[in-house]
Amino acid sequence: MKRRYRVGNVTCQSCVALIEKILKSTEGVIEAGVNLATEELFVEYDEKKITEADFIQKLTALGYTTEEIKDLKTVTFSIKGLHCQSCVGTVEKVISGMKGVDSIVVNLASEKGTVTYDSTQVKLSEMFHLIEKFGYKGERITEEVIDKREEEKKAELKREFNEFLVAIIFGLIIFYISMGSMVGLPIPHIINYDENPKLFATIQLLLSIPVVYVGRDFYISGFKKLRSKAPNMDSLIAMGTGAAFVYSLYGTLKVYEGDFGFVHNLYYESGVVIIALISLGKYLENISKGKTSEAIKKLMSLQSKRANLFRNGKIVTVDIEEVEVGDILLIKPGESIPTDGVVVDGLSSVDEAMLTGESIPVKKIEGMKLYGATINGTGSLKMKVTEIGENTTLSRIIRLVENAQGSKAPIARMADIISSYFVPTVIGIAVIASLVWYIIGTLGLITLNATPSVFALTILISVLVIACPCSLGLATPTAIMVGTGRGAELGILIKSGEALEKTCKVDTVVFDKTGTITAGRPTVTDIVSHKFEDTVILKVVGSLEQNSEHPLADAIMREVNLRKVDLYSVKSFNSITGEGVTGTLEDTPVGDVEVLVGNKKLMDRYSINIEEHLKEGEKLFDQGKTVIYIAARDTYLGMIAIADKVRESSKDVITELKSIGIDVIMLTGDNERTAKAIAKEVGLTKVIAEVSPEQKYSQIKKLQISGKKVAMVGDGINDSPALTQADIGIAVGGGADIALESADIVLMSKNIKDVPKAIELSRETMKNIKQNLFWAFIYNGLGIPVAAGILYPFTGHLLNPMIAGAAMAMSSVSVVSNALRLKWFK
């Protein structure tokens, strides 16, 4: 066995030598090595001679800590044979019990499983082999498998419909033969149960055989699950209809023996009609389930298959698989952009609606980003490829949506727990109820409308057939699949079911200012200096800011480029978070000069007196501008004012959030005066200003401690700690990759107008899930007692097993249909 560990308290090479010596001298350890630089320990040992705990204990006694480094892989695979939530529970229980499996989530609606496991301890093939013993089949998802599964799904739907036709045709004939005379319908004398009871029973038996064959999967799967002690929906159907067929077969034999009274106790029609109705329900359910993943199919269909590539001075059309990073492609008017890249020549407008949900095309010029699957307008573009394959924006979106659709919301855990006990409990209720009614009938305590044995059998069949855990299992995953898929179509990427559920509970939205409430493209508006020309001040500041990644630095550098100002080289550059930057300009007319560029905190830190210039700065602050002060050699030089335009939609978004009961706060590192001026413009009264990234994180935490459910909206690297700390992190598209990774929800539209839309979508999805769960619970909560005969003493009526079968079949269809309503969310 081979293992890797992170080792703590390893301070020098002596520690390395000691650990290696101790382990190598331990019986059973084959090889051991420590890497001081990475603090990693590699151990190979014989499990028959020594356990992991034995050598870990030795290291602990020496004062070293160990933490196993797991080589975890996450794989999504398809699963055949899932019929209900009990199946889901069985697969999850079986795989999670395997050594090396970290987590497993199975989605009934998509018929997929996502497993995270240590590939050194267990293989995916071993998992597949194990679940095969329980009647399921696992298969890795590849493009070929997806295509194969699509074909199989079509063939399966066709087969299910044909089987339903067989079952319903034969079922109706049997139903007519057995029940026709009771309602006055003409029955041929040759098969009349009074005149020819043997032929009457024989014809029903023969007509039932094709239906039993059509429903063979119920029996094969159901009894296999029973033998595995993991009964599911198929087990209930197999037991219920099986009991009807076996009892009818017994009755047929008694008729052949001359006991013609049994001709009235044949249940062939119930068994075949139940199978027909359940087959119909299964067919309709599978059609509905196929529609839940349409969002993924739409996204996949957008991927280009071909590209126009510049090769040896010529344009050649190639398969997309031949395109490499760095290639130059030609995008003709009206064409789909094949992959991600940047414009190197040309001018056009590109329809990015598939990414952002925005219908207005985006103007593209040299240097601007292009995204695969977006549609070029009337111009022609040359683009340089920057990303291909799985690294493209579209592929990342597909992965995000697939992961979200495969995940479970916390609300689903309740259904999981109930489903794990559901089927065994139903079987117990069915058996006990039928026995109780048999005893009641035998003792004559209540007058029954049939013999005790027939009455008890009816109870048994009805309870087994009406109790379906399918609707319970489909309630949550179908709504999550449709909700997250609809979100992706609208440019709202929700990363998980948990994020979807948490979003509906949000009561406070905190906005970062720059890039969210404002456009995120600040520009220089004022250069104030009493000693030097504007270009001198700009040259000093630009020389320093060229080394910074702050949005304000971008504004300064744009002004530098606009005015074509030459810059000094810089040494000893230092960025002080939340205050500004410092550095030494080299080779100026007066030699090397130390320069400070930042806010008042930075000036105070270096004891630069700017008191007499504060009023001038305050006037600019009151106009909503950010002011940075400049000093050199301990002397104040001047100030630069920068303004960031407020987004047109910001005021409307904040008003809309307030209208749906959300408290809105602006959180910014900018000075308080500027922040309040922006807040006033957009209708905000709550502002927290002059906070560093660490303080943003602390402010979010403070709100949470006070009982608030907080969503943080940001787009920058400095927002990532706050995005992670918030109950829900919402990243505005086009922001830094780290912000997109930190967030729970990504708005691809680069605009905050989708924030209220994301909250409303979450609320609608959770409302839909609760509706589904309510009806699933009510259906079973009321259906099972009625099937068990609780109303019979009062009404004299018993639930017909055929009606129970129809109700069970339609319960799942109704749940999936309700979830599909989310496709029309706007």
Side-chain angles (χ1 to χ4, degrees):
M1 180 65 70
K2 297 177 181 179
R3 288 279 189 277
R4 287 192 306 134
Y5 303 89
R6 186 86 57 204
V7 187
N9 302 327
V10 178
T11 57
C12 62
Q13 194 60 36
S14 297
C15 295
V16 171
L18 177 62
I19 292 171
E20 290 180 348
K21 182 181 178 183
I22 293 292
L23 290 179
K24 287 178 179 178
S25 62
T26 302
E27 186 182 358
V29 175
I30 302 166
E31 186 58 58
V34 178
N35 186 320
L36 180 60
T38 60
E39 295 183 339
E40 288 184 15
L41 163 67
F42 168 79
V43 181
E44 184 179 357
Y45 64 98
D46 187 342
E47 287 182 289
K48 295 176 182 178
K49 296 180 180 179
I50 189 172
T51 66
E52 182 182 30
D54 292 335
F55 61 78
I56 292 296
Q57 190 175 3
K58 287 193 174 189
L59 295 177
T60 304
L62 292 170
Y64 301 109
T65 60
T66 56
E67 180 186 355
E68 187 178 352
I69 301 171
K70 294 181 178 179
D71 182 17
L72 294 180
K73 287 185 179 179
T74 299
V75 176
T76 299
F77 59 97
S78 68
I79 309 171
K80 285 185 181 179
L82 293 177
H83 298 299
C84 65
Q85 191 62 17
S86 294
C87 299
V88 170
T90 299
V91 174
E92 288 183 340
K93 184 179 179 182
V94 167
I95 292 183
S96 62
M98 297 181 78
K99 188 177 180 181
V101 173
D102 188 68
S103 65
I104 169 76
V105 174
V106 175
N107 189 313
L108 175 62
S110 64
E111 297 179 339
K112 291 178 184 175
T114 301
V115 62
T116 301
Y117 64 101
D118 185 346
S119 58
T120 62
Q121 296 189 54
V122 65
K123 303 299 179 190
L124 201 60
S125 58
E126 294 172 344
M127 299 180 209
F128 292 168
H129 180 69
L130 182 60
I131 63 173
E132 272 187 32
K133 294 180 180 178
F134 290 82
Y136 308 102
K137 184 180 179 182
E139 199 170 24
R140 289 207 61 157
I141 298 174
T142 61
E143 198 167 338
E144 291 76 20
V145 169
I146 291 172
D147 293 339
K148 181 183 168 188
R149 286 289 286 151
E150 283 294 316
E151 291 301 315
E152 286 178 353
K153 274 287 180 188
K154 288 178 184 175
E156 189 178 339
L157 280 172
K158 189 175 180 181
R159 178 181 64 81
E160 285 176 355
F161 182 71
N162 290 336
E163 288 181 347
F164 159 69
L165 286 179
V166 170
I168 198 66
I169 290 168
F170 281 90
L172 288 174
I173 295 170
I174 295 173
F175 187 82
Y176 185 89
I177 291 170
S178 62
M179 309 293 287
S181 60
M182 295 183 187
V183 292
L185 293 173
I187 299 291
H189 292 288
I190 196 170
I191 56 171
N192 186 283
Y193 57 83
D194 285 328
E195 299 177 28
N196 288 295
K198 289 184 180 179
L199 190 58
F200 173 81
T202 303
I203 288 176
Q204 287 192 62
L205 170 61
L206 293 175
L207 290 173
S208 296
I209 292 171
V211 182
V212 173
Y213 177 77
V214 160
R216 63 194 179 281
D217 288 345
F218 292 127
Y219 300 103
I220 294 168
S221 169
F223 289 121
K224 191 172 186 178
K225 301 293 189 302
L226 273 174
R227 286 197 301 273
S228 303
K229 298 179 182 177
N232 67 346
M233 180 198 79
D234 287 351
S235 305
L236 298 178
I237 296 167
M239 290 176 68
T241 58
F245 285 129
V246 169
Y247 187 82
S248 299
L249 191 60
Y250 170 74
T252 302
L253 292 173
K254 297 298 284 183
V255 168
Y256 272 97
E257 289 175 1
D259 190 348
F260 298 140
F262 262 92
V263 79
H264 300 289
N265 295 330
L266 301 180
Y267 265 82
Y268 289 118
E269 80 283 351
S270 291
V272 295
V273 172
I274 286 169
I275 287 176
L277 290 171
I278 291 171
S279 297
L280 174 62
K282 191 176 176 186
Y283 172 72
L284 294 174
E285 179 189 316
N286 283 337
I287 289 176
S288 301
K289 278 162 65 177
K291 291 180 180 178
T292 61
S293 58
E294 281 181 0
I296 289 285
K297 291 174 187 174
K298 281 182 184 177
L299 288 171
M300 286 182 166
S301 69
L302 293 171
Q303 293 173 316
S304 299
K305 304 294 183 187
R306 309 278 282 171
N308 301 315
L309 173 66
F310 282 93
R311 183 181 285 167
N312 300 325
K314 294 182 179 180
I315 300 171
V316 292
T317 303
V318 298
D319 291 335
I320 192 65
E321 289 79 12
E322 293 183 40
V323 175
E324 301 289 341
V325 172
D327 283 348
I328 304 297
L329 305 180
L330 173 67
I331 315 299
K332 297 177 183 178
E335 281 189 338
S336 171
I337 293 168
T339 188
D340 290 4
V342 292
V343 178
V344 293
D345 188 30
L347 171 67
S348 186
S349 292
V350 175
D351 180 357
E352 295 183 345
M354 52 73 56
L355 280 181
T356 65
E358 292 283 353
S359 57
I360 301 171
V362 181
K363 186 178 179 182
K364 298 290 181 179
I365 59 174
E366 188 177 341
M368 293 187 73
K369 285 186 178 180
L370 294 172
Y371 302 99
T374 56
I375 307 298
N376 187 26
T378 55
S380 184
L381 296 171
K382 279 186 184 179
M383 69 172 278
K384 183 178 181 180
V385 176
T386 57
E387 302 288 353
I388 58 172
E390 292 186 353
N391 296 321
T392 64
T393 301
L394 180 63
S395 294
R396 288 167 66 192
I397 289 172
I398 291 171
R399 278 201 304 276
L400 280 173
V401 177
E402 282 180 328
N403 291 341
Q405 292 188 340
S407 67
K408 284 189 178 180
I411 196 171
R413 291 174 193 147
M414 176 174 59
D416 288 347
I417 293 168
I418 292 170
S419 296
S420 64
Y421 299 102
F422 185 83
V423 175
T425 302
V426 167
I427 292 172
I429 291 171
V431 171
I432 292 169
S434 62
L435 286 174
V436 167
W437 278 109
Y438 181 79
I439 293 168
I440 288 172
T442 304
L443 297 177
L445 299 176
I446 295 177
T447 303
L448 305 181
N449 60 10
T451 62
S453 59
V454 170
F455 194 93
L457 180 65
T458 303
I459 293 288
L460 178 74
I461 296 169
S462 297
V463 173
L464 289 173
V465 169
I466 201 169
C468 171
C470 278
S471 54
L472 200 60
L474 290 168
T476 302
T478 49
I480 288 175
M481 286 181 72
V482 180
T484 53
R486 181 58 183 150
E489 290 173 352
L490 295 171
I492 303 166
L493 299 184
I494 302 167
K495 290 186 176 179
S496 68
E498 185 175 1
L500 191 68
E501 181 171 342
K502 281 184 176 180
T503 303
C504 80
K505 298 173 184 175
V506 165
D507 55 26
T508 304
V509 173
V510 177
F511 284 101
D512 175 53
K513 178 179 75 70
T514 307
T516 49
I517 289 178
T518 62
R521 192 176 173 83
T523 55
V524 173
T525 58
D526 303 86
I527 299 175
V528 181
S529 171
H530 302 293
K531 295 180 181 180
F532 304 101
E533 291 181 2
D534 290 358
T535 51
V536 174
I537 293 293
L538 198 56
K539 185 169 185 174
V540 169
V541 176
S543 299
L544 216 57
E545 295 288 10
Q546 66 183 323
N547 298 289
S548 174
E549 291 184 352
H550 196 279
L552 296 181
D554 290 341
I556 290 166
M557 294 314 297
R558 279 195 293 274
E559 190 69 17
V560 165
N561 294 330
L562 189 66
R563 299 196 187 197
K564 298 180 179 178
V565 176
D566 294 326
L567 302 176
Y568 297 115
S569 56
V570 177
K571 65 179 180 181
S572 304
F573 175 83
N574 183 34
S575 176
I576 301 172
T577 303
E579 295 184 18
V581 294
T582 68
T584 302
L585 306 187
E586 296 182 299
D587 303 324
T588 73
V590 291
D592 290 357
V593 179
E594 187 179 0
V595 176
L596 312 173
V597 177
N599 57 22
K600 187 176 181 298
K601 287 181 183 178
L602 184 69
M603 298 298 119
D604 291 343
R605 178 191 284 266
Y606 286 89
S607 303
I608 307 297
N609 184 8
I610 60 170
E611 292 301 318
E612 61 182 286
H613 305 286
L614 286 178
K615 272 192 176 179
E616 201 167 11
E618 285 171 2
K619 283 182 184 178
L620 295 169
F621 283 136
D622 290 339
Q623 295 169 23
K625 297 174 181 178
T626 299
V627 177
I628 57 174
Y629 300 101
I630 306 105
R633 290 183 173 173
D634 300 332
T635 303
Y636 171 77
L637 298 182
M639 66 182 78
I640 290 181
I642 297 169
D644 187 5
K645 188 180 178 184
V646 171
R647 290 183 189 271
E648 290 180 9
S649 60
S650 293
K651 189 172 183 178
D652 292 338
V653 166
I654 288 162
T655 302
E656 187 177 350
L657 285 170
K658 288 179 178 178
S659 72
I660 60 173
I662 303 291
D663 196 18
V664 187
I665 300 170
M666 187 169 78
L667 186 64
T668 177
D670 215 336
N671 69 82
E672 192 166 356
R673 287 202 172 190
T674 302
K676 283 186 174 177
I678 297 292
K680 185 178 180 182
E681 189 177 344
V682 297
L684 270 177
T685 55
K686 297 183 180 180
V687 180
I688 304 171
E690 299 181 19
V691 288
S692 65
E694 292 78 15
Q695 289 170 329
K696 284 183 181 181
Y697 166 89
S698 301
Q699 289 292 338
I700 296 293
K701 201 167 186 179
K702 196 181 291 183
L703 287 167
Q704 291 171 318
I705 291 169
S706 70
K708 300 286 187 182
K709 299 294 182 185
V710 184
M712 170 70 189
V713 186
D715 76 325
I717 291 173
N718 62 346
D719 295 325
S720 55
L723 287 169
T724 305
Q725 174 59 35
D727 296 284
I728 289 294
I730 302 177
V732 180
D737 282 346
I738 190 168
L740 301 182
E741 294 300 324
S742 305
D744 302 293
I745 296 175
V746 179
L747 308 180
M748 297 303 295
S749 65
K750 306 178 185 179
N751 200 318
I752 61 171
K753 69 180 181 60
D754 285 335
V755 172
K757 200 180 287 183
I759 294 172
E760 289 286 13
L761 176 60
S762 167
R763 289 179 176 180
E764 282 299 313
T765 305
M766 293 312 300
K767 179 181 172 184
N768 193 284
I769 288 172
K770 287 172 183 175
Q771 289 170 349
N772 287 346
L773 287 172
F774 172 78
W775 288 113
F777 283 126
I778 285 293
Y779 165 79
N780 284 302
L782 295 178
I784 292 173
V786 170
I790 196 169
L791 297 179
Y792 183 80
F794 310 103
T795 64
H797 295 292
L798 205 56
L799 184 68
N800 189 295
M802 289 182 284
I803 296 173
M808 188 277 264
M810 298 314 295
S811 65
S812 300
V813 177
S814 63
V815 163
V816 177
S817 300
N818 186 48
L820 287 172
R821 290 191 305 110
L822 291 168
K823 285 166 66 70
W824 290 277
F825 173 84
K826 293 182 180 179

